[in-house]
Amino acid sequence: MADELVHRTVDNGIATITLDSPHNRNALSARLRMELRAALTASIDENSVRVVVLDHTGPVFCAGMDLKESRDEESTEEQGVRDLPALLEQIWTSPKPVVTKLAGPARAGGIGLVAASDIAVAADTATFAFSEVRIGVVPATISVTVLPVLDTRQAHELFLTGEKFDAGRAASIGLLNSAVPAEQLDAEVTRYTDMLALGGPKALAATKEMLHRPRPTKLSDDFAEMLALSAEHFAGEEGKEGIRAFSEKRRPSWAPRPS
């Protein structure tokens, strides 16, 4: 629909979810959050979807929470304090890899989306800032997804100062996987989605879960859990098919055929 703030398309196993609210710089309004969650749910539930790409229209990826909406609402629940965690968790725990594509700036809550995704690629002209302290609030909710990917010293500096930083620095401190010239952005995203599509769907989901799990304090317990996980997937149908395909020098059944 033309009045949607979030659009979803699926092409060859890639679900592209596009933030389309340029009038407020794709700010996380209540309506945009609701539509984004619905698009993510549809993509996760659709068997044909292998990878999710989070994209945007307009010059800004996401300006963070909608401050005008927050100012006009009395209830903190309506301001997204309650439902933003659910949105970030949905991206973080998605069994399908999520690739975020930024052609422009991200601020505050928008960076929470970036950090929650598995892979983030930006144009080298994009900028970032944890601007919360400069308006007298705390980057608390987004810290849950940001702090695990950010160097500790860098987090202290950037959270406390609210300083704007560029895509090169964002890549160097772990917030981005890649920063490329704007004209190479589409190709860089495709490079990642093509690689992700080669992974077994169940293996990708299990690997994501493994990456986010808390590590046991005892090394022997960690090895025991990982050996069980490895054995489960070696013995599974997907693992058997992957091994057969490797032996027969062909692509496994889930991998897209080269065009």
Short mmCIF file of all heavy atoms in Angstrom, two decimals, residues 34-86:
data_model
loop_
_atom_site.label_atom_id
_atom_site.label_comp_id
_atom_site.label_asym_id
_atom_site.label_seq_id
_atom_site.Cartn_x
_atom_site.Cartn_y
_atom_site.Cartn_z
N MET A 34 5.54 -0.88 14.53
CA MET A 34 4.54 -1.93 14.36
C MET A 34 4.67 -2.58 12.98
O MET A 34 4.66 -3.82 12.85
CB MET A 34 3.13 -1.35 14.53
CG MET A 34 2.01 -2.37 14.34
SD MET A 34 0.37 -1.60 14.41
CE MET A 34 0.40 -0.61 12.91
N GLU A 35 4.81 -1.75 11.94
CA GLU A 35 4.91 -2.29 10.58
C GLU A 35 6.23 -3.04 10.38
O GLU A 35 6.27 -4.06 9.68
CB GLU A 35 4.78 -1.16 9.56
CG GLU A 35 3.38 -0.56 9.51
CD GLU A 35 3.23 0.49 8.41
OE1 GLU A 35 4.08 0.52 7.49
OE2 GLU A 35 2.26 1.27 8.47
N LEU A 36 7.29 -2.56 11.00
CA LEU A 36 8.57 -3.24 10.88
C LEU A 36 8.52 -4.61 11.54
O LEU A 36 9.01 -5.60 10.98
CB LEU A 36 9.68 -2.39 11.49
CG LEU A 36 11.10 -2.97 11.50
CD1 LEU A 36 11.53 -3.42 10.10
CD2 LEU A 36 12.09 -1.94 12.05
N ARG A 37 7.92 -4.69 12.70
CA ARG A 37 7.78 -5.98 13.38
C ARG A 37 6.95 -6.95 12.54
O ARG A 37 7.27 -8.14 12.44
CB ARG A 37 7.16 -5.81 14.75
CG ARG A 37 8.06 -5.13 15.77
CD ARG A 37 7.69 -5.55 17.18
NE ARG A 37 7.96 -6.96 17.38
CZ ARG A 37 7.50 -7.68 18.39
NH1 ARG A 37 6.73 -7.12 19.30
NH2 ARG A 37 7.79 -8.96 18.50
N ALA A 38 5.88 -6.45 11.91
CA ALA A 38 5.04 -7.31 11.08
C ALA A 38 5.81 -7.82 9.87
O ALA A 38 5.70 -8.99 9.49
CB ALA A 38 3.79 -6.55 10.64
N ALA A 39 6.62 -6.95 9.26
CA ALA A 39 7.41 -7.35 8.08
C ALA A 39 8.47 -8.37 8.47
O ALA A 39 8.73 -9.33 7.72
CB ALA A 39 8.05 -6.14 7.44
N LEU A 40 9.08 -8.20 9.62
CA LEU A 40 10.07 -9.17 10.09
C LEU A 40 9.42 -10.51 10.37
O LEU A 40 9.95 -11.57 10.00
CB LEU A 40 10.75 -8.64 11.36
CG LEU A 40 11.75 -7.51 11.17
CD1 LEU A 40 12.06 -6.82 12.50
CD2 LEU A 40 13.05 -8.02 10.52
N THR A 41 8.26 -10.49 11.01
CA THR A 41 7.54 -11.74 11.31
C THR A 41 7.19 -12.47 10.03
O THR A 41 7.38 -13.70 9.93
CB THR A 41 6.27 -11.43 12.12
OG1 THR A 41 6.63 -10.85 13.37
CG2 THR A 41 5.48 -12.71 12.38
N ALA A 42 6.67 -11.74 9.03
CA ALA A 42 6.32 -12.37 7.76
C ALA A 42 7.54 -12.99 7.09
O ALA A 42 7.47 -14.09 6.53
CB ALA A 42 5.67 -11.34 6.83
N SER A 43 8.68 -12.32 7.17
CA SER A 43 9.90 -12.82 6.54
C SER A 43 10.43 -14.05 7.25
O SER A 43 10.90 -15.00 6.63
CB SER A 43 10.96 -11.72 6.51
OG SER A 43 10.51 -10.60 5.79
N ILE A 44 10.36 -14.04 8.57
CA ILE A 44 10.82 -15.18 9.35
C ILE A 44 9.93 -16.40 9.11
O ILE A 44 10.42 -17.53 9.01
CB ILE A 44 10.87 -14.82 10.85
CG1 ILE A 44 12.00 -13.80 11.11
CG2 ILE A 44 11.07 -16.05 11.72
CD1 ILE A 44 11.95 -13.16 12.47
N ASP A 45 8.64 -16.17 8.97
CA ASP A 45 7.68 -17.27 8.82
C ASP A 45 7.63 -17.84 7.40
O ASP A 45 7.15 -18.95 7.21
CB ASP A 45 6.28 -16.81 9.22
CG ASP A 45 6.15 -16.55 10.71
OD1 ASP A 45 7.05 -16.99 11.47
OD2 ASP A 45 5.17 -15.90 11.13
N GLU A 46 8.10 -17.08 6.43
CA GLU A 46 8.00 -17.51 5.02
C GLU A 46 9.16 -18.44 4.68
O GLU A 46 10.32 -18.04 4.71
CB GLU A 46 8.01 -16.28 4.11
CG GLU A 46 7.69 -16.61 2.66
CD GLU A 46 7.46 -15.37 1.83
OE1 GLU A 46 7.05 -14.34 2.39
OE2 GLU A 46 7.70 -15.43 0.61
N ASN A 47 8.83 -19.69 4.35
CA ASN A 47 9.86 -20.71 4.14
C ASN A 47 10.81 -20.36 3.00
O ASN A 47 11.99 -20.74 3.04
CB ASN A 47 9.21 -22.07 3.86
CG ASN A 47 8.55 -22.65 5.10
OD1 ASN A 47 8.94 -22.35 6.22
ND2 ASN A 47 7.54 -23.48 4.89
N SER A 48 10.33 -19.65 1.99
CA SER A 48 11.18 -19.35 0.84
C SER A 48 12.24 -18.29 1.14
O SER A 48 13.21 -18.14 0.40
CB SER A 48 10.33 -18.88 -0.35
OG SER A 48 9.71 -17.64 -0.06
N VAL A 49 12.06 -17.55 2.23
CA VAL A 49 13.00 -16.48 2.56
C VAL A 49 14.22 -17.08 3.24
O VAL A 49 14.13 -17.84 4.20
CB VAL A 49 12.34 -15.44 3.49
CG1 VAL A 49 13.38 -14.45 4.01
CG2 VAL A 49 11.24 -14.70 2.74
N ARG A 50 15.39 -16.73 2.74
CA ARG A 50 16.65 -17.23 3.29
C ARG A 50 17.41 -16.16 4.06
O ARG A 50 18.08 -16.44 5.03
CB ARG A 50 17.53 -17.76 2.14
CG ARG A 50 16.88 -18.86 1.30
CD ARG A 50 16.70 -20.13 2.11
NE ARG A 50 17.93 -20.44 2.80
CZ ARG A 50 19.04 -20.90 2.17
NH1 ARG A 50 19.02 -21.13 0.88
NH2 ARG A 50 20.14 -21.16 2.86
N VAL A 51 17.31 -14.92 3.58
CA VAL A 51 18.05 -13.80 4.16
C VAL A 51 17.12 -12.58 4.18
O VAL A 51 16.31 -12.40 3.27
CB VAL A 51 19.32 -13.47 3.35
CG1 VAL A 51 20.10 -12.33 3.98
CG2 VAL A 51 20.20 -14.70 3.18
N VAL A 52 17.26 -11.75 5.21
CA VAL A 52 16.48 -10.51 5.32
C VAL A 52 17.44 -9.32 5.18
O VAL A 52 18.49 -9.28 5.83
CB VAL A 52 15.76 -10.44 6.68
CG1 VAL A 52 14.99 -9.12 6.80
CG2 VAL A 52 14.82 -11.62 6.86
N VAL A 53 17.07 -8.39 4.32
CA VAL A 53 17.83 -7.14 4.16
C VAL A 53 16.98 -5.99 4.67
O VAL A 53 15.83 -5.83 4.26
CB VAL A 53 18.22 -6.90 2.68
CG1 VAL A 53 18.88 -5.53 2.52
CG2 VAL A 53 19.15 -8.00 2.18
N LEU A 54 17.54 -5.20 5.58
CA LEU A 54 16.86 -4.02 6.10
C LEU A 54 17.42 -2.79 5.38
O LEU A 54 18.59 -2.46 5.51
CB LEU A 54 17.09 -3.91 7.61
CG LEU A 54 16.35 -2.79 8.35
CD1 LEU A 54 14.85 -2.88 8.12
CD2 LEU A 54 16.66 -2.86 9.83
N ASP A 55 16.55 -2.14 4.60
CA ASP A 55 16.95 -1.03 3.72
C ASP A 55 16.15 0.22 4.10
O ASP A 55 15.35 0.20 5.03
CB ASP A 55 16.70 -1.45 2.27
CG ASP A 55 17.47 -0.63 1.25
OD1 ASP A 55 18.12 0.37 1.63
OD2 ASP A 55 17.41 -0.98 0.05
N HIS A 56 16.34 1.29 3.36
CA HIS A 56 15.60 2.53 3.64
C HIS A 56 15.50 3.38 2.40
O HIS A 56 16.30 3.28 1.47
CB HIS A 56 16.30 3.32 4.75
CG HIS A 56 17.65 3.85 4.37
ND1 HIS A 56 17.87 5.17 3.99
CD2 HIS A 56 18.87 3.26 4.29
CE1 HIS A 56 19.15 5.35 3.72
NE2 HIS A 56 19.78 4.20 3.89
N THR A 57 14.50 4.26 2.40
CA THR A 57 14.40 5.31 1.40
C THR A 57 14.90 6.61 2.03
O THR A 57 15.03 6.72 3.24
CB THR A 57 12.96 5.50 0.91
OG1 THR A 57 12.16 5.95 2.02
CG2 THR A 57 12.39 4.21 0.34
N GLY A 58 15.13 7.60 1.18
CA GLY A 58 15.55 8.90 1.68
C GLY A 58 17.02 8.92 2.09
O GLY A 58 17.70 7.90 2.10
N PRO A 59 17.52 10.11 2.47
CA PRO A 59 18.94 10.27 2.75
C PRO A 59 19.37 9.76 4.12
O PRO A 59 20.57 9.67 4.40
CB PRO A 59 19.14 11.78 2.66
CG PRO A 59 17.81 12.36 3.03
CD PRO A 59 16.80 11.41 2.49
N VAL A 60 18.42 9.43 5.02
CA VAL A 60 18.75 9.01 6.38
C VAL A 60 18.25 7.59 6.61
O VAL A 60 17.08 7.28 6.31
CB VAL A 60 18.13 9.97 7.42
CG1 VAL A 60 18.39 9.47 8.84
CG2 VAL A 60 18.68 11.37 7.24
N PHE A 61 19.12 6.73 7.16
CA PHE A 61 18.66 5.37 7.47
C PHE A 61 17.62 5.39 8.58
O PHE A 61 16.51 4.89 8.41
CB PHE A 61 19.86 4.50 7.90
CG PHE A 61 19.44 3.17 8.48
CD1 PHE A 61 18.88 2.19 7.67
CD2 PHE A 61 19.59 2.91 9.84
CE1 PHE A 61 18.47 0.97 8.21
CE2 PHE A 61 19.18 1.70 10.38
CZ PHE A 61 18.63 0.73 9.56
N CYS A 62 17.97 5.94 9.73
CA CYS A 62 17.02 6.02 10.83
C CYS A 62 17.52 7.03 11.85
O CYS A 62 18.66 6.93 12.33
CB CYS A 62 16.82 4.65 11.48
SG CYS A 62 15.67 4.69 12.89
N ALA A 63 16.65 7.98 12.21
CA ALA A 63 17.03 9.05 13.13
C ALA A 63 16.82 8.67 14.59
O ALA A 63 17.04 9.49 15.47
CB ALA A 63 16.23 10.31 12.81
N GLY A 64 16.41 7.44 14.85
CA GLY A 64 16.13 7.03 16.22
C GLY A 64 14.66 7.17 16.54
O GLY A 64 13.81 7.18 15.65
N MET A 65 14.33 7.27 17.84
CA MET A 65 12.93 7.38 18.23
C MET A 65 12.34 8.68 17.70
O MET A 65 13.04 9.68 17.52
CB MET A 65 12.81 7.33 19.76
CG MET A 65 13.28 6.02 20.36
SD MET A 65 12.39 4.58 19.73
CE MET A 65 10.77 4.86 20.43
N ASP A 66 11.03 8.65 17.46
CA ASP A 66 10.32 9.83 16.98
C ASP A 66 10.12 10.78 18.16
O ASP A 66 9.21 10.59 18.98
CB ASP A 66 8.98 9.41 16.38
CG ASP A 66 8.27 10.55 15.67
OD1 ASP A 66 8.46 11.71 16.08
OD2 ASP A 66 7.52 10.29 14.71
N LEU A 67 10.95 11.82 18.27
CA LEU A 67 10.93 12.69 19.44
C LEU A 67 9.65 13.54 19.49
O LEU A 67 9.16 13.84 20.57
CB LEU A 67 12.16 13.60 19.45
CG LEU A 67 13.50 12.87 19.59
CD1 LEU A 67 14.64 13.88 19.61
CD2 LEU A 67 13.53 12.02 20.85
N LYS A 68 9.12 13.90 18.34
CA LYS A 68 7.87 14.66 18.34
C LYS A 68 6.75 13.80 18.92
O LYS A 68 5.96 14.26 19.75
CB LYS A 68 7.51 15.11 16.93
CG LYS A 68 6.23 15.93 16.86
CD LYS A 68 5.93 16.38 15.44
CE LYS A 68 4.70 17.28 15.40
NZ LYS A 68 3.49 16.63 15.94
N GLU A 69 6.70 12.55 18.50
CA GLU A 69 5.69 11.64 19.01
C GLU A 69 5.88 11.41 20.51
O GLU A 69 4.92 11.41 21.28
CB GLU A 69 5.77 10.31 18.26
CG GLU A 69 4.71 9.30 18.63
CD GLU A 69 4.84 8.04 17.80
OE1 GLU A 69 5.71 7.21 18.13
OE2 GLU A 69 4.08 7.90 16.82
N SER A 70 7.13 11.24 20.93
CA SER A 70 7.41 11.04 22.35
C SER A 70 7.01 12.25 23.18
O SER A 70 6.48 12.13 24.28
CB SER A 70 8.91 10.77 22.54
OG SER A 70 9.30 9.58 21.89
N ARG A 71 7.24 13.45 22.65
CA ARG A 71 6.88 14.68 23.36
C ARG A 71 5.38 14.81 23.50
O ARG A 71 4.87 15.27 24.52
CB ARG A 71 7.43 15.88 22.57
CG ARG A 71 7.21 17.23 23.25
CD ARG A 71 7.55 18.35 22.27
NE ARG A 71 6.64 18.33 21.12
CZ ARG A 71 6.97 18.81 19.92
NH1 ARG A 71 8.16 19.31 19.70
NH2 ARG A 71 6.09 18.77 18.93
N ASP A 72 4.65 14.35 22.47
CA ASP A 72 3.20 14.50 22.48
C ASP A 72 2.49 13.44 23.30
O ASP A 72 1.31 13.58 23.61
CB ASP A 72 2.66 14.46 21.04
CG ASP A 72 3.12 15.66 20.23
OD1 ASP A 72 3.54 16.66 20.84
OD2 ASP A 72 3.06 15.59 18.99
N GLU A 73 3.20 12.35 23.63
CA GLU A 73 2.58 11.26 24.36
C GLU A 73 2.95 11.33 25.84
O GLU A 73 4.09 11.58 26.19
CB GLU A 73 3.04 9.90 23.79
CG GLU A 73 2.59 9.65 22.36
CD GLU A 73 1.11 9.34 22.25
OE1 GLU A 73 0.45 9.20 23.31
OE2 GLU A 73 0.61 9.24 21.13
N GLU A 74 1.99 11.09 26.68
CA GLU A 74 2.25 11.09 28.11
C GLU A 74 2.76 9.74 28.59
O GLU A 74 3.52 9.65 29.54
CB GLU A 74 0.98 11.45 28.89
CG GLU A 74 0.51 12.88 28.64
CD GLU A 74 -0.71 13.22 29.48
OE1 GLU A 74 -1.17 12.34 30.23
OE2 GLU A 74 -1.19 14.35 29.37
N SER A 75 2.33 8.67 27.94
CA SER A 75 2.69 7.33 28.40
C SER A 75 4.04 6.92 27.86
O SER A 75 4.28 6.96 26.66
CB SER A 75 1.63 6.32 27.93
OG SER A 75 2.10 5.01 28.10
N THR A 76 4.96 6.52 28.74
CA THR A 76 6.26 6.03 28.28
C THR A 76 6.09 4.77 27.46
O THR A 76 6.92 4.47 26.60
CB THR A 76 7.18 5.74 29.47
OG1 THR A 76 6.56 4.79 30.34
CG2 THR A 76 7.52 6.99 30.23
N GLU A 77 5.03 4.01 27.71
CA GLU A 77 4.80 2.81 26.92
C GLU A 77 4.57 3.18 25.47
O GLU A 77 5.03 2.51 24.55
CB GLU A 77 3.60 2.04 27.48
CG GLU A 77 3.41 0.68 26.81
CD GLU A 77 2.48 -0.22 27.60
OE1 GLU A 77 2.15 0.09 28.75
OE2 GLU A 77 2.06 -1.24 27.01
N GLU A 78 3.85 4.29 25.25
CA GLU A 78 3.61 4.74 23.89
C GLU A 78 4.87 5.30 23.25
O GLU A 78 4.97 5.43 22.05
CB GLU A 78 2.50 5.79 23.87
CG GLU A 78 1.14 5.25 24.23
CD GLU A 78 0.69 4.16 23.28
OE1 GLU A 78 0.93 4.28 22.06
OE2 GLU A 78 0.11 3.18 23.75
N GLN A 79 5.85 5.69 24.04
CA GLN A 79 7.09 6.25 23.53
C GLN A 79 8.05 5.16 23.07
O GLN A 79 9.15 5.46 22.62
CB GLN A 79 7.76 7.11 24.60
CG GLN A 79 6.99 8.37 24.94
CD GLN A 79 7.63 9.12 26.09
OE1 GLN A 79 8.84 9.03 26.29
NE2 GLN A 79 6.85 9.86 26.85
N GLY A 80 7.68 3.92 23.18
CA GLY A 80 8.52 2.85 22.69
C GLY A 80 9.43 2.24 23.72
O GLY A 80 10.21 1.35 23.42
N VAL A 81 9.33 2.72 24.98
CA VAL A 81 10.17 2.15 26.02
C VAL A 81 9.86 0.67 26.18
O VAL A 81 10.72 -0.13 26.49
CB VAL A 81 9.95 2.91 27.35
CG1 VAL A 81 10.67 2.22 28.50
CG2 VAL A 81 10.43 4.35 27.21
N ARG A 82 8.61 0.30 25.94
CA ARG A 82 8.20 -1.09 26.12
C ARG A 82 8.39 -1.93 24.86
O ARG A 82 8.79 -3.08 24.95
CB ARG A 82 6.73 -1.15 26.55
CG ARG A 82 6.42 -0.39 27.82
CD ARG A 82 7.18 -0.92 29.01
NE ARG A 82 6.85 -0.19 30.23
CZ ARG A 82 7.53 -0.28 31.36
NH1 ARG A 82 8.59 -1.05 31.42
NH2 ARG A 82 7.15 0.42 32.42
N ASP A 83 8.09 -1.37 23.68
CA ASP A 83 8.09 -2.24 22.49
C ASP A 83 9.38 -2.18 21.68
O ASP A 83 9.62 -3.05 20.86
CB ASP A 83 6.88 -1.96 21.59
CG ASP A 83 6.91 -0.57 20.96
OD1 ASP A 83 7.77 0.24 21.33
OD2 ASP A 83 6.06 -0.30 20.09
N LEU A 84 10.25 -1.19 21.91
CA LEU A 84 11.52 -1.19 21.20
C LEU A 84 12.37 -2.42 21.54
O LEU A 84 12.96 -3.00 20.63
CB LEU A 84 12.30 0.10 21.49
CG LEU A 84 13.65 0.23 20.77
CD1 LEU A 84 13.48 0.15 19.25
CD2 LEU A 84 14.35 1.53 21.17
N PRO A 85 12.43 -2.85 22.81
CA PRO A 85 13.20 -4.07 23.09
C PRO A 85 12.70 -5.28 22.29
O PRO A 85 13.51 -6.08 21.81
CB PRO A 85 12.99 -4.28 24.59
CG PRO A 85 12.74 -2.93 25.13
CD PRO A 85 11.96 -2.22 24.05
N ALA A 86 11.39 -5.41 22.12
CA ALA A 86 10.86 -6.54 21.37
C ALA A 86 11.29 -6.49 19.91
O ALA A 86 11.59 -7.53 19.30
CB ALA A 86 9.33 -6.56 21.47
#
